[in-house]
């Protein structure tokens, strides 16, 4: 189905920015245009468009995993309550909604998770994203929850847009030639332009509503990821594997949460995507 005038919320974030590139006719809003927590303002803005968008893609989220432990109300307001309201609204408009969730809805005890596997989040962030999944599904419209993990890519235009691990590592390597990286947390890894393309394909084909997993193929600990970044970037940095116990953080993370993609076409390996990103 032809989708052109897609409404992207969180358009200046890492993923939102890539969606805006893929859809030249998209309407992209971020905090500067509308605070989505003011739902009446969002409705008024959509009403003011003078047309109904072809689809809504929600990239807005409370993404501060550790911060969510201290500010659960804020995390639930954006990741769950807003997501649910948006799903009801998309149904009312009669358009599909794509919403994103995370591998942190799983506790990591099984290591690999298919779409239908039972979530058991360890953190407030994971709980708020899981509640969001449920709220998005409830109204029963054309809803798509796309779970993803560890996004990297060109930085979003927003100042607060989460700095990706690739940027962090490259910044740190300018100051030190020996770095430590956690080797006992393993995730799927996702290149934002590839996730944006998978989203476009999803909206072009409109499969059955439900939960989908979209990440680059493969898996990586933070140690694996860091080593590959420096190998591809040609930087002579020694990366030392360390236990997550060494980094005290507020929120618990799953030791291994790989998202198995059993429903969508497979996406290239994260190493191939990383090489493209780093221009190699
Ligand atoms: N990044 C990851 O590693 C990762 C991993 C798993 C899942 N995900 C999920 O993937 C999706 C996209 O993530 P992302 O990394 O692209 O996020 P991001 O870069 O943080 O972008 C989110 C955007 O939403 C905006 N926003 C936040 N609150 C808002 C509000 N109340 N009103 C209007 N705009 C608001 C942010 O603006 P400000 O910057 O001004 O706040 C930001 O531009 C999210 O659902 C996230 O939970 C991400």
């Amino acid at each position: 189905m032809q989708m052109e005038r897609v409404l992207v919320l969180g358009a200046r974030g890492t993923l939102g920015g890539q969606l805006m590139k893929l859809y030249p006719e998209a309407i992209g809003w971020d905090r500067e245009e509308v605070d989505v927590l003011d739902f009446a303002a969002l409705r008024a803005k959509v009403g003011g468009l003078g047309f109904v968008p072809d689809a809504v893609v929600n990239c807005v989220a409370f993404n501060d995993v550790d911060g969510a432990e201290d500010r659960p109300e804020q995390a639930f307001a954006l990741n769950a309550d807003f997501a649910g309201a948006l799903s009801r609204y998309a149904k009312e408009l009669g358009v599909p909604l794509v919403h994103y969730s995370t591998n942190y809805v799983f506790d990591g005890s099984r290591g690999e998770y298919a779409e239908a596997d039972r979530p058991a989040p360890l953190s407030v962030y994971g709980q708020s994203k899981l509640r969001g999944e449920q709220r998005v599904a409830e109204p029963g419209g054309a809803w798509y929850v796309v779970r993803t993990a560890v996004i990297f890519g060109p930085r979003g235009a927003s100042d607060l847009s989460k700095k990706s691990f690739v940027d962090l590592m490259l910044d740190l390597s300018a100051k030190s030639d020996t770095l430590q990286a956690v080797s006992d947390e393993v995730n799927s890894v996702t290149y934002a332009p590839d996730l944006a393309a998978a989203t476009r394909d999803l909206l072009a084909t409109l499969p059955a509503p439900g939960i989908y997993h979209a990440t680059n193929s493969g898996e990586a600990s933070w140690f694996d990821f860091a080593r590959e970044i420096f190998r591809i970037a040609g930087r002579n940095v020694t990366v030392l594997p360390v236990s997550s116990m060494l980094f005290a953080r507020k929120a618990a993370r799953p030791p291994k949460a790989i998202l198995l993609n059993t429903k969508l076409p497979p996406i290239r390996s994260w190493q191939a995507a990383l090489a493209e990103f780093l221009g190699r």
Side-chain angles (χ1 to χ4, degrees):
M1 192 179 164
Q2 201 74 343
M3 295 271 174
E4 302 296 343
R5 293 194 293 191
V6 170
L7 172 59
V8 178
L9 300 175
R12 287 199 195 93
T14 309
L15 176 59
Q18 295 307 313
L19 284 158
M20 293 306 293
K21 280 193 190 155
L22 276 189
Y23 287 108
E25 291 180 45
I27 307 106
W29 293 337
D30 209 282
R31 198 188 288 278
E32 282 171 30
E33 286 77 23
V34 62
D35 177 351
V36 298
L37 289 174
D38 182 351
F39 208 83
L42 178 63
R43 267 178 181 274
K45 228 173 141 51
V46 173
L49 284 173
F51 60 87
V52 176
D54 296 333
V56 178
V57 183
N58 178 33
C59 301
V60 169
F62 186 103
N63 276 332
D64 180 351
V65 177
D66 293 311
E69 299 292 316
D70 292 328
R71 289 171 284 149
E73 315 76 29
Q74 286 180 33
F76 274 86
L78 202 54
N79 292 345
D81 300 339
F82 165 66
L86 189 64
S87 185
R88 283 196 300 279
Y89 187 40
K91 188 181 180 198
E92 187 185 313
L93 293 173
V95 301
L97 168 70
V98 179
H99 172 80
Y100 299 91
S101 187
T102 169
N103 61 331
Y104 283 10
V105 297
F106 296 111
D107 64 12
S109 56
R110 276 184 51 180
E112 297 186 337
Y113 297 89
E115 296 82 351
D117 285 337
R118 204 176 62 81
L122 298 174
S123 62
V124 170
Y125 167 76
Q127 287 158 7
S128 70
K129 294 295 279 185
L130 175 59
R131 181 83 59 82
E133 294 185 357
Q134 294 158 346
R135 291 277 170 84
V136 165
E138 270 161 18
W143 63 277
Y144 299 95
V145 166
V146 177
R147 289 196 191 120
T148 190
V150 186
I151 297 178
F152 72 97
R155 241 186 124 179
S158 159
D159 290 343
L160 294 175
S161 158
K162 204 168 163 177
K163 206 173 193 184
S164 83
F165 185 71
V166 179
D167 295 325
L168 277 175
M169 286 298 111
L170 292 175
D171 286 358
L172 284 173
S173 73
K175 295 174 205 142
S176 170
D177 55 12
T178 304
L179 298 174
Q180 296 179 328
V182 168
S183 57
D184 57 359
E185 274 175 28
V186 182
N187 294 291
S188 303
V189 177
T190 313
Y191 185 41
D194 287 352
L195 179 56
T199 301
R200 185 190 50 191
D201 293 348
L202 186 76
L203 282 173
T205 48
L206 292 180
I211 293 176
Y212 290 82
H213 286 178
T215 70
N216 286 99
S217 41
E219 58 182 63
S221 67
W222 300 106
F223 169 71
D224 300 328
F225 198 11
R227 273 208 313 190
E228 190 66 2
I229 291 164
F230 297 129
R231 190 188 70 74
I232 295 173
R235 296 222 183 150
N236 197 8
V237 177
T238 304
V239 186
L240 303 173
V242 293
S243 158
S244 51
M245 308 278 275
L246 219 77
F247 287 92
R249 287 164 301 173
K250 280 221 156 164
R253 268 89 169 158
K256 181 171 177 180
I258 308 304
L259 294 175
L260 299 175
N261 167 10
T262 73
K263 294 164 82 175
L264 294 174
I267 308 179
R268 65 180 163 169
S269 73
W270 64 266
Q271 293 93 334
L274 181 62
E276 181 184 300
F277 176 51
L278 295 174
R280 306 291 154 145

